[in-house]
Amino acid sequence: MPHFKTSRLLGSYFLYECARAMYFVLTTWLLFQWTNNPLYTGMFVSFGFLPGLVSNLFFGVLVDRYSRKKLALTAGTVSVLILLFLWTAFTAGAATPWLIILVHMLLQTAGSLFRPALQALTAGIFSKGELPKMFSWSNSATITGSLAGAGTGGFLADAAPEEVSLGFVLLLFTAATLSLLHLEEAPLRTPEGKSPSFLWDMKEGFRYVHHHRMFYGLFFLLMIGQLTFHTSLGFLSVYTSAHLLQGPFLYGLLDAVFSIGGMAAGLLGTWWWKVFRSHLAVWAFAVTATGLLFVRLNNALWSAFPGFFCIGFGTSLIRALLQSVQQMASAPAFHGRLSSLRMLYNQTSVVISGPVFGYIASTSGVSLVFLWLVLPAGAGMVWAWIQSRQSYFQTIISRASA
């Protein structure tokens, strides 16, 4: 059973991310080619997270109250239906840039339920000591899926009609959902007696964070990691087309290099934890900032490859390892609410910054976006160093048997 549940979970992480990356490459490339305006790309990235500012508050309570497996299956099924709608629109010749943005908003909302449900399901099945390993493995499976999806998406964008490409995406989302069907779920641990209301549970989530203030620092670091991750990926199509003057194949290749960096982070996650311990986030942000400077300060094609590799490597370490710290530091009854609150902060930052970065890219050039991202990465380094000196944080790092 341990091998079975691990392979099923990792398979779902892989397939879902493969589908998401392929879809993202196809839609962002088509959107920029149709509009030739980076501002649409900024709105695509920003508006995609807009519904999550409300839905995440409720999704966290859902994950803590109900079966994580059933919620993940529901979110996966909704994703399939959304992609079926988009595929139908392309097949009928009715797709438009604003329709793509609308579908992206719906798909991101479904993902905002799928991811915390799957993460809480993982945290409920495995022991706390196993979580750094499992989250590193799941991150590696996720990034490997992203690598496969991005590379294939770039090839399909250049070689196949849109409806054929989206048909592959639809099949992958379906497979990711089906992979969870036969997975046994650990019993949901809830306190005796029912909570008075949904709003009471939501309020308790905020109260829990307020009483455990280390989570504020973790959320801040994870927010910067996610902001850098999503902005870099969102503007990669514009960077490839408008700055490097290259086609969709190279776009898919650079996205794949980004994913290879993330995959390397997943494979080296436990080693990074052991070597850098409480300073693990400090050095991860340093690698991220180095990658951003490579992308901005050099116009040659060769510099884009190590640059995006470092961004993928650094942001993936931040996301995987600090999420492990969050799960280890929190009570099981609050796993879902904390994951959703974390995503609320992450997505708020992207919603606010997306149009701003779109405006910067359209007026001053897309490469300047990556230079601006060095500022939050530097702030992340500073706060990560401050948090590394906190005794409670050091205790959690030492507790893991990675």
Side-chain angles (χ1 to χ4, degrees), residues 207-354:
R207 184 176 296 159
Y208 184 83
V209 173
H210 185 68
H211 285 246
H212 300 80
R213 303 207 169 191
M214 188 194 74
F215 291 116
Y216 285 125
L218 280 179
F219 288 166
F220 176 69
L221 297 178
L222 284 162
M223 179 188 71
I224 295 173
Q226 289 285 67
L227 172 65
T228 307
F229 179 90
H230 287 292
T231 304
S232 298
L233 273 185
F235 284 91
L236 181 54
S237 62
V238 182
Y239 182 86
T240 305
S241 182
H243 185 74
L244 297 178
L245 304 178
Q246 299 293 325
F249 179 76
L250 186 73
Y251 168 40
L253 190 59
L254 285 174
D255 198 313
V257 168
F258 189 100
S259 299
I260 291 172
M263 183 172 62
L267 294 173
L268 296 174
T270 52
W271 173 83
W272 194 275
W273 186 295
K274 289 179 179 178
V275 171
F276 295 109
R277 301 187 68 78
S278 61
H279 292 91
L280 58 89
V282 177
W283 289 102
F285 275 113
V287 172
T288 302
T290 300
L292 291 167
L293 289 173
F294 255 94
V295 171
R296 169 63 181 97
L297 299 180
N298 294 284
N299 293 327
L301 179 60
W302 68 266
S303 66
F305 287 92
F308 284 108
F309 175 89
C310 288
I311 297 171
F313 183 81
T315 55
S316 296
L317 282 173
I318 294 163
R319 297 161 76 213
L321 297 183
L322 292 185
Q323 282 179 32
S324 298
V325 174
Q326 175 196 310
Q327 297 286 0
M328 293 170 66
S330 60
F334 287 90
H335 281 164
R337 275 167 285 183
L338 287 185
S339 293
S340 288
L341 285 174
R342 181 192 73 233
M343 292 173 68
L344 174 65
Y345 296 134
N346 294 345
Q347 294 178 6
T348 300
S349 69
V350 178
V351 167
I352 295 172
S353 65

Side-chain angles (χ1 to χ4, degrees), residues 127-132 208 214-215 273 277-278 324-332 335 391-402:
S127 66
K128 286 192 173 185
E130 294 177 296
L131 287 182
Y208 184 83
M214 188 194 74
F215 291 116
W273 186 295
R277 301 187 68 78
S278 61
S324 298
V325 174
Q326 175 196 310
Q327 297 286 0
M328 293 170 66
S330 60
H335 281 164
S391 59
Y392 187 54
F393 183 82
Q394 293 174 352
T395 300
I396 294 172
I397 296 295
S398 301
R399 190 188 304 165
S401 54

Side-chain angles (χ1 to χ4, degrees), residues 9 12-13 16 68 72 113-123 180 183:
L9 276 172
S12 186
Y13 278 109
Y16 192 88
R68 284 85 185 263
L113 177 58
F114 184 87
R115 284 185 289 272
L118 197 59
Q119 290 169 6
L121 180 63
T122 304
L180 295 175
L183 185 66

Side-chain angles (χ1 to χ4, degrees), residues 24 58 90 96 100 112 200 247 274:
F24 195 84
F58 296 95
F90 270 97
T96 64
I100 290 177
S112 294
W200 188 90
K274 289 179 179 178

